[in-house]
């Protein structure tokens, strides 16, 4: 596709439920990034992939969060046992390679609301 | 710990009223400083990269400058379509390529 696509755009879930957020990066981009953005804050790094492997997952807040990119293209961010504090916009970005992380192209985000 | 502080948090301008946004940073060594524009409901859109003190970049009504401690985003004769949140981010030398973002400045330009 022409840009980074994230689905769903909005997700409302109940506390304790499991959610999956999907990111479809720009074709040919080997690096993919997940960020979380709360209201009034800048994006906060979660994890990034170079190809299929997670190159840096130091931003994941705890073991309820997990992400995969099995074929080096589409990625899924998975959150178990959701909590109200997980409510935020989850942004995905991609770039040709990790050296271009700061110039990555962002998707429109998935707004997650945990009630 | 790397820190990026943006000011003001919010700025309201009249169309044509020039102003500047500030981004001050504290890092062990700067590899690059970046500016982005973010519209409501969208992800950030990359604008500029600055690498060294004294460097300047321009795009339409925007000009970004860099010193050893801060960066400014100057907006000349803004238009309502310049209304957005402007984010600043830094990369540190010797560290990860992942940028550290500030909280942004929300700019509203009134017609």
């Amino acid at each position: 596709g022409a840009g980074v696509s994230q689905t769903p755009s909005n997700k409302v879930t109940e506390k304790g439920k499991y959610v999956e957020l999907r990111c479809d990066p720009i074709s040919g981009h080997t690096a993919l990034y997940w960020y979380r953005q709360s209201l009034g804050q800048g994006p906060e790094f979660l994890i990034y992939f170079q190809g299929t492997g997670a190159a840096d997952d130091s931003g994941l807040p705890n073991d309820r969060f997990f992400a995969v990119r099995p074929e080096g293209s589409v990625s899924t961010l998975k959150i178990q046992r959701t909590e109200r504090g997980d409510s935020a916009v989850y942004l995905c970005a991609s770039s040709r390679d990790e050296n271009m992380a700061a110039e990555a192209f962002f998707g429109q985000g998935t707004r997650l609301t945990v009630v | 710990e790397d820190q990026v502080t943006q000011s003001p948090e919010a700025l309201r301008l009249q169309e044509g009223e020039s102003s500047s946004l500030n981004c001050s940073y504290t890092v062990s060594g700067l590899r690059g400083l970046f500016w982005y524009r973010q519209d409501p409901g969208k992800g950030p859109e990359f604008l500029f990269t600055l690498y060294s003190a004294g460097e300047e970049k321009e795009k339409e009504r925007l000009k970004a400058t860099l010193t050893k401690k801060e960066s400014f985003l100057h907006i000349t004769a803004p238009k309502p379509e310049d209304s957005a949140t402007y984010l600043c981010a830094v990369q540190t030398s010797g560290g990860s390529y992942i940028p550290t973002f500030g909280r942004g400045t929300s700019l509203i330009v009134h017609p």
Side-chain angles (χ1 to χ4, degrees), chain B:
Chain B
E1 182 181 325
D2 299 340
Q3 288 200 343
V4 182
T5 304
Q6 293 190 245
S7 61
E9 287 187 13
L11 182 62
R12 293 177 178 268
L13 299 173
Q14 288 297 125
E15 184 171 3
E17 179 187 2
S18 301
S19 188
S20 296
L21 314 183
N22 178 265
C23 172
S24 63
Y25 60 91
T26 306
V27 297
S28 53
L30 183 71
R31 174 187 281 145
L33 185 141
F34 310 90
W35 284 98
Y36 305 80
R37 171 188 171 128
Q38 186 172 23
D39 291 296
K42 303 278 184 68
E45 176 188 351
F46 168 77
L47 292 173
F48 302 113
T49 304
L50 299 166
Y51 292 109
S52 56
E55 190 175 0
E56 298 183 353
K57 293 277 179 72
E58 285 190 66
K59 180 179 180 179
E60 296 181 354
R61 294 176 292 282
L62 302 177
K63 182 168 81 172
T65 61
L66 181 66
T67 72
K68 290 187 177 180
K69 294 184 178 180
E70 58 192 349
S71 176
F72 292 94
L73 185 64
H74 306 278
I75 304 176
T76 302
K79 298 182 177 182
E81 53 261 43
D82 295 322
S83 298
T85 294
Y86 291 85
L87 294 162
C88 168
V90 298
Q91 263 181 358
T92 55
S93 55
S96 165
Y97 287 103
I98 303 298
T100 299
F101 285 87
R103 297 173 70 167
T105 293
S106 174
L107 173 66
I108 297 176
V109 182
H110 296 284

